Amino acid sequence: MTTPPTPAGAERAALRVVLADDERMVRTALRVILDAEPGIEVVGEAATGAEAVSVVRAERPDVVLMDVRMPEIDGIRATEQILGSLADPPRIVVVTTFENDAYVYDALRAGAAGFLLKRAEPDQLVQAVRLVATTDSLLFPAAVRALATAHAEAGAAPPAWVGRLTEREGQVLRLMATGLTNAEIARRMDVGPATVKSHVAAVLAKTGARDRTQAVIAAYEAGVVGGARDQRG
């Protein structure tokens, strides 16, 4: 995979990554792939959830690749502790064996930016690291949709925030769920990027979401996306 060009006169800082997995062979394989990529640097490893929290606090990476099933504390609690204790937390990507795993769903609800299967190709791994660190796009939206649909409660009453969304905010939320960036949403809606950014901020505030992944999960659970109330705009 090629690295996006760096503007003349500017030096691109390497993306700093921490690997958290209780299997040494998995960590080694991930390190080999990522360290071979220009602009990506693995700065730490952890074999338990507790170690992951400590290493992240010490190294302050941009991205954490987090296994969900680890000793001491699992990846879900580690994600919660990292996101809850740092003013500028890293983006966390759950790396898992089973895409329909309820643990993965809980990790996304806890604030993970997305998930990646352990059988993913090396270029998918690199793409995931770069995407979550450098864009506002949703990581692998089809996979998030499938996971949310599998775990959402059918027939549940919509939460109060649904009624507080404006028509424009609902439209932005549905476009977010397709994986579009703010710039792409702006072009689709024929509005300025600043307007979209304002709508996204309002959506996050009203849904109580930390980021767009949590907002999209909430939207699927509420039926705003993929259900009867999903009125395409």
Side-chain angles (χ1 to χ4, degrees):
M1 175 175 291
T2 59
T3 303
T6 302
E11 183 176 346
R12 181 181 295 274
L15 296 177
R16 295 165 54 82
V17 181
V18 163
L19 309 175
D21 196 293
D22 61 344
E23 296 186 41
R24 181 185 294 273
M25 289 183 62
V26 171
R27 299 198 309 274
T28 299
L30 294 174
R31 178 182 280 274
V32 167
I33 293 169
L34 294 176
D35 276 345
E37 285 292 319
I40 297 179
E41 178 186 6
V42 176
V43 297
E45 297 184 16
T48 71
E51 285 181 9
V53 175
S54 297
V55 171
V56 168
R57 287 173 176 168
E59 297 296 337
R60 298 302 175 94
D62 302 295
V63 178
V64 180
L65 298 182
M66 180 82 74
D67 189 18
V68 286
R69 304 189 186 207
M70 290 186 290
E72 298 181 14
I73 64 173
D74 60 27
I76 301 167
R77 289 182 58 200
T79 294
E80 291 173 338
Q81 290 185 21
I82 290 168
L83 296 179
S85 64
L86 297 178
D88 186 21
R91 304 282 278 167
I92 297 176
V93 177
V94 174
V95 183
T96 179
T97 303
F98 306 106
E99 58 189 308
N100 254 350
D101 196 330
Y103 280 91
V104 177
Y105 188 61
D106 288 342
L108 293 179
R109 296 187 74 190
F115 73 97
L116 185 69
L117 296 179
K118 288 187 177 181
R119 64 175 181 271
E121 296 294 328
D123 62 333
Q124 290 180 307
L125 169 65
V126 175
Q127 176 195 17
V129 170
R130 294 196 192 282
L131 189 66
V132 300
T134 61
T135 77
D136 53 19
S137 179
L138 189 68
L139 179 61
F140 305 140
V144 172
R145 179 179 66 245
L147 188 64
T149 301
H151 291 277
E153 294 184 16
W161 63 259
V162 173
R164 295 196 293 268
L165 289 179
T166 66
E167 182 178 352
R168 280 297 203 180
E169 290 164 0
Q171 185 180 8
V172 167
L173 179 53
R174 289 190 290 272
L175 292 173
M176 286 165 56
T178 68
L180 297 184
T181 64
N182 285 359
E184 291 167 337
I185 293 173
R187 289 193 292 271
R188 180 74 63 87
M189 296 177 63
D190 195 23
V191 298
T195 299
V196 173
K197 185 176 181 180
S198 177
H199 287 321
V200 170
V203 167
L204 297 184
K206 290 179 180 180
T207 59
R210 178 183 296 275
D211 60 17
R212 53 207 302 134
T213 301
Q214 280 192 313
V216 168
I217 288 285
Y220 278 111
E221 290 181 339
V224 174
V225 176
R229 289 180 293 280
D230 183 2
Q231 302 298 318
R232 303 287 174 187

